[in-house]
Amino acid sequence: MPQKNSASNTAVTVPYFVVLVQAVCFAILYAVWMLPKTIFLRNICLGIGAALSLFVIYRYRKSFLSKFALPIYLLLTLFAWLVFHLLFLSNDYQAQYRELTSVWKNCSIAILFGLGFGISLSSLMSHSVANSEIQKNKVRMSQIVWILIWLGLIAPELIFIIKWVLTNQGPAWGIAVPDYLKLWQSSAPYYVAKLDYVCFCLPVLAIALGQIKVQIDQERLLSWANGFYVCVVASVLFVFAKWQVFNGFIYALLITAILACMLLWRYFKRTSSSKQFIAIVFMCALAASLLHQIKNDSHFETFVADAKVALDGEKYPQWKYGGTQGYPSNELGRQVNVSNYERVSWFVNGVELVPRYPQGYGLLHRSFGRLVKIDYPDSKMHQSHSGWLDLTVGIGIPGVALILGAMLLAMRNCSKLQIPPATPSEDTLNRKAFLNIAWWALLGLGLIWCTTEISQKVNMEALLFWVALATGMSMGVNLAIDPGEKP
């Protein structure tokens, strides 16, 4: 049923069935996005979501005149830059063309889906309407969509846990576990890399922590919702622990610290905020446990000594050969931790390539290795282990600036449009809760891309999807709110 804009009496409508189908498509898509041999299902969900988004975008076409639509215009400029690079700056025309018509095509569909879905969600965040029956329907639909979104978000963790249990206990229970339900430690038809688990699980952890903050802001610290979000955090940490995802723990600690600082900043002067104090203690305890986990990791123990070796790339050139020429020893007399040594070496050498090739090589995937081979033809390099750096040497400074600009603007807009803490709200699923999903997801993704080699395929699709989702939400909310509320 259509919803009426009470602020301006201008009918801006999104039928409920459209929002519902988009939510179902999102839930299925997020559950299988990183899984191999699911390309048909992924494309179906993206296609249906994008097709419905065209209808939604047309309904909300006036919102594109707002400053809140600027991130989308930046993303459109990104595609113009990619075409310009292909035509005038290409180093490998055929490879770039294939990537433009495959990976970037899927990214454009993901952007369209995310933008329309964000606008659709905004239709559930508008003010209450006079008709009580319409308002009840809106609240009911908000609850259904909220559940569908969370089913999608927790699906990667649940699938991992099911696979872990079946892989480790299935034979003992006499269960013949099919290959697609096993965990594979190396390249195989159903192998899922650690970096994909980080890309799709850490944003969920960030979103859960963000929703805990929403509950605290609304004085619902001891709620069933918070119990659920704590379980979500625990499930993500379980994935990282069992799959030994070192940087996942690092970023979980960092996001927890950010949340603790936000709570401290807001409630520092409130002497009677006992519940908030308990929440802060909980966050500190979580941070302490994560720090303990990190300290017990061998990566952390020798990181400084390994980094010193990595910084002297001329004396220790083994970083170029992927282990085929062995590894040097650090000042402790021990062989460097391979992960520490290679990550630092690749990052330093990747940074040095940026001013030399500000326009980028032109490819989203493995441009770093191609540029290294110009100076070192026998190099075995592929990626730099930093998503943002790989992206910079791939599509150049202009391309990365457009993506980062769109992401940061979308986060800023989501933050500005959240309901002020003083505004009373009877409904848990208010504007603040929905906008927080996009804000915290982008925070998690922005951090992940710093030290994870995920500038490729579905990971890029997911990043641009979240940017478009945040933009769509802010555009729709801005169109619906009262003029007096607008920032």
Side-chain angles (χ1 to χ4, degrees), residues 468-484:
L469 181 75
T471 303
M473 274 201 248
S474 59
M475 288 166 58
V477 169
N478 177 67
L479 193 66
I481 61 179
D482 292 326

Side-chain angles (χ1 to χ4, degrees), residues 20 40 42 54 59 76 78 109 152 207 396:
L20 184 61
F40 178 76
R42 297 200 307 264
L54 288 173
R59 289 290 184 95
L76 289 175
L78 167 67
I109 297 172
I207 293 169

